[in-house]
Amino acid sequence: GQQTSSLPAEEKTLNVHIVPHTHDDVGWLKTVEQYYHGQNNTIQHANVNLILDTVMEELAKNANRTFTYVEQAFFSMWWNDQGDDKKNMVRDLIAKKQLTFVNGGWCMHDEATTHYMGMIDQTALGHSFLKEELNVTPSVGWQLDPFGHSATQASFLTSEVGFNALYFGRIDYQDLNKRHVTKECEGIWDSSQNLVDTEVFWGLTGSYSGNYGPPPGFCFDVFCDDKQLVGLDDETLKKRIGMFMSALKLQSDRTKGQNIMLTMGEDFQYENATLNFENLDLLIASVLKFQDSGAIDVPAVFYDRFEKVSIFYSNPELYTAMKHAETKLAKRVSDTTKTDSNEPTRAHISKRGEETSGVQWAIKEDDFFPYSDCENCFWTGFFASRPALKRLERVGSSFLHAARQLECGSDKDTANKLVGGKHQSSLRKLDEAMAVAQHHDAVSGTSKQHVAYDYAKKIQSGINAAENAITQKLRSHFTNATSEDEGVFLENLSYCQLLNESICEVIQSATERPGVDVHIIVYNALSIERSDVVRIPVSINASYTVSKLEGLGSVQERSNVVSSTLIPNINPLDPSAAGYILYFDTQTIPPVGASIYRVQTYLEPEYASPPRSLHHNTKLIERESPTFRTVKQSTSHTIDRDGSIHVVNGVLDIHFSSSGMIQSIAGIHDTGIQTMQFSQEWGYYKSFDSRHSKTKEDAVVNPDKLSERLANLNTTNHAPGVCIPTYQWNHNTHNGSCPLGISQISQNSGAYIFRPSKPDEDITVIPLRGRPKVFSSDLVTEVHSEFAQPWIKQITRVIAGEPFVEFEFTVGPIPIDDGVGKEVITRFNTDIQNDGTFYTDSNGREFMKRRRSQRSSWDMTEYEPVAGNYYPVNAAIYIEDEKSSVSVMVDRSEGGASILDGSIELMVHRRTIVDDGRGVGEAINETDGGMNHYPPFGDAKRIGKGLVISAVHRLVVGPGKGGADVARKQKDRAFSPAP
């Protein structure tokens, strides 16, 4: 095992921790199964099964060797294939600290486009496996590859889960350069504004070069081009060791203390672990030999900072322990260079050990977004890549959350039981699928197309498997019947997953003619009671009565007619969509509970043909204890002579223009009535395509030509730029940097990178066309708008008593026949004076303050004033001033910004034509007909039309400095909708 007892304690000894590891993506260029079994190697050679086989064999040969592993999706597959002898050998390696698990999740989840529920679920799944099978509890976070790092990851998924440290590779190149100089490539991260004592030690990997591999020139994997040490003569070996010592000196100069960690591994390495470990054995032995013999003068190499090097196999746990040991007191020295004097700061100080002398670390309080690896290379495009997959991930996560409640709360639970000492659940398939979907190339939208299809297939298969068990539990609950004796009541109970497309086969079939009753169960997964207006698709234009049923099967059984209204579905997204939408008021649904409703259909003569504008008024029923909406509120609308539209719902007073777009919103709050001037735009940024860039100047911000609307942006671009080496340039050729200006010509917008055709580009606005269609009742008012481009449609919806305006929209297929990729956004403009400040959620939890064209941790030189100001939005984004606030809730992860004062913009869809050079090797070009095989078996051509997505934004107007409060009240409803 590791020689912890003999590690030198001398002050001038540098401890070099050699940490062998592999980073195994749970899907990216290949599917999970293809990676594990080593299939489809024409795309990428990778075989996780072989990696784990050979690593275990090599660890068993030498008790000093160590290895660190992360992804339990793969390890569980490998473990289940092993016999008892191999399993016992692995347990022995763990006991000797040779094999270490860090992070311990099913995957290495993304931190930008994930919701905290999904992050917790996938982490818990992996930890449960490790605990049940190996009695292992990881103690270190290991987020090497995600493209930016969130405050929630630091406070909630690191400190709060009991980890002692968090290590990762990628941070902004300007931030990294600054940290090289200030020796702050490690430190203390205290990111939570609400949780107490969440400070955690953090550090960069990859020798602080912006990645997670070995020092340049010392990759010993079979797929690396660096020269092996094995077989060299003594003189050549000494020269190589001299280069290695110089690398150690460079790394040690960029941090504090006597310990540095070398992460010796990259993507899918150690397939031939013999080669890796033989070279690492020789590396360690040669450093000690040449040092002891005097062939290498250590004090001269380190300029007398260190007189000796102790190098040994290690792991992140040991490294963290030694870092904590030399950190006697973490002095609270904030690394924030720009603060507001009137902002409150937390007073508590985390002491780590006795209050004596020791290494003092800077305290980081913000997050690591957005991430860029060169001047024009902001990884902000993936915030919105593959919006349909992002929505399916959120639907699956919400469904899993509700299904767990039902499974745990059932008295007749036959699904969640112990079989052979292990938990077996009907939700296991969905659990694993959702865990895989959290991977940083899954929900992020940055995988190859066939892998994205596989992620979606896994999620849907999991939902289908869980649906059978969950509908059985609900049926039993409402009928008080066993599975053997249910009668015919609720016999066709099924989960209507496609309500956003106005599709539910069982309801549409039942409402094709009068006389067939439909029973609908609405489940509330929240811990508080709620009342909602639910939409269901129905087939015919008829009269419907909706009743809430209570006391089923008892002498107190009764029904209560609830408010409902029918509106035609004039722009169906799918040919199988229903022709009409029936809205009904749920009244109060108990917390973590369900209510059942009966829908009856009656054909009446006056409903013989679809109306142009339907006014079906039904008096709202008074609620016993409404949570969100006001008692007896209703909607109404009037149309003025100039065609403008006025809509009220009891808490909102909204004026629309004659074209159907909102002009002003007045909200009723405790502090009075707040009126806000308002407008909305739809448009797109043109994607940068290097094929259309003739000169460097085409891609550079020109301060003399900035549009008037963007005149307030910082467009300085005179500072030198040093880029993190990526797929676009060879770090061996460019000495770890890229020439200034290279990215200005070559960097395309793609799956990862968002880059407009010009840095200061404003959107191409898509104007409205024609007059809107208005459908109104006491329960809901809808304004249907049409645009000059037929691939954008929007319904603005106002619901009785609700404090939000709902914008339901469809976007696509985005046209690219003009040879131009497009990044589609909607922008909400207000009269709020936010002075460049806006707020976005961190993985659906706390809100992070953002300042346009600024970074809290360093003085930023700006090259991309649009793309560089985008941040991930997983639940909500808001702006505010002293008088008012506006918050927008999303139904999936999107990219958001406030490029102009008073505005919020959200990127909802994107389609590019070229690859951005970050490894995925293809444009983000999704179609509805699939694709041809990849080379050499096909041309990977996309088939069919571009992807069409349907989504919802909810906008709430609040009082001054009230953005966070109103957003928090709504974002949980968005995550767990009813139904």
Side-chain angles (χ1 to χ4, degrees), residues 709-721:
R709 299 182 73 186
L710 297 174
N712 60 322
L713 298 183
N714 173 13
T715 56
T716 305
N717 75 60
H718 304 298

Side-chain angles (χ1 to χ4, degrees), residues 544-728:
Y544 294 89
T545 298
V546 182
S547 303
K548 184 177 183 180
L549 307 182
E550 299 178 1
L552 287 176
S554 68
V555 294
Q556 289 85 23
E557 180 175 326
R558 63 187 183 276
S559 64
N560 179 27
V561 176
V562 300
S563 176
S564 63
T565 193
L566 186 72
I567 290 180
N569 183 18
I570 62 174
N571 286 308
L573 186 63
D574 188 277
S576 60
Y580 300 89
I581 308 297
L582 178 66
Y583 292 79
F584 68 88
D585 179 16
T586 65
Q587 298 190 344
T588 301
I589 308 174
V592 193
S595 296
I596 187 168
Y597 305 84
R598 180 180 60 226
V599 179
Q600 297 172 296
T601 310
Y602 305 93
L603 190 62
E604 295 181 1
E606 60 266 33
Y607 291 97
S609 61
R612 290 181 58 192
S613 183
L614 187 64
H615 300 272
H616 182 199
N617 297 319
T618 306
K619 183 178 180 181
L620 276 134
I621 305 300
E622 183 172 346
R623 298 161 186 75
E624 296 174 0
S625 180
T627 301
F628 296 105
R629 289 186 288 119
T630 307
V631 176
K632 294 184 179 179
Q633 298 294 350
S634 62
T635 70
S636 65
H637 87 282
T638 58
I639 299 179
D640 298 333
R641 290 182 179 180
D642 62 356
S644 60
I645 306 160
H646 181 206
V647 178
V648 296
N649 75 339
V651 292
L652 295 175
D653 189 319
I654 307 169
H655 286 268
F656 292 77
S657 68
S658 59
S659 59
M661 302 301 273
I662 296 178
Q663 293 179 315
S664 69
I665 305 176
I668 303 172
H669 308 289
D670 294 338
T671 56
I673 299 176
Q674 182 64 53
T675 301
M676 175 185 298
Q677 298 305 305
F678 187 91
S679 67
Q680 183 193 7
E681 298 172 290
W682 278 97
Y684 59 86
Y685 294 104
K686 299 174 184 176
S687 306
F688 187 92
D689 186 337
S690 59
R691 299 173 304 171
H692 305 322
S693 177
K694 298 181 178 62
T695 65
K696 182 192 299 186
E697 285 70 27
D698 290 341
V700 178
V701 178
N702 186 338
D704 297 329
K705 296 181 180 181
L706 291 180
S707 66
E708 183 177 346
R709 299 182 73 186
L710 297 174
N712 60 322
L713 298 183
N714 173 13
T715 56
T716 305
N717 75 60
H718 304 298
V722 180
C723 306
I724 295 173
T726 64
Y727 293 91
Q728 286 195 308

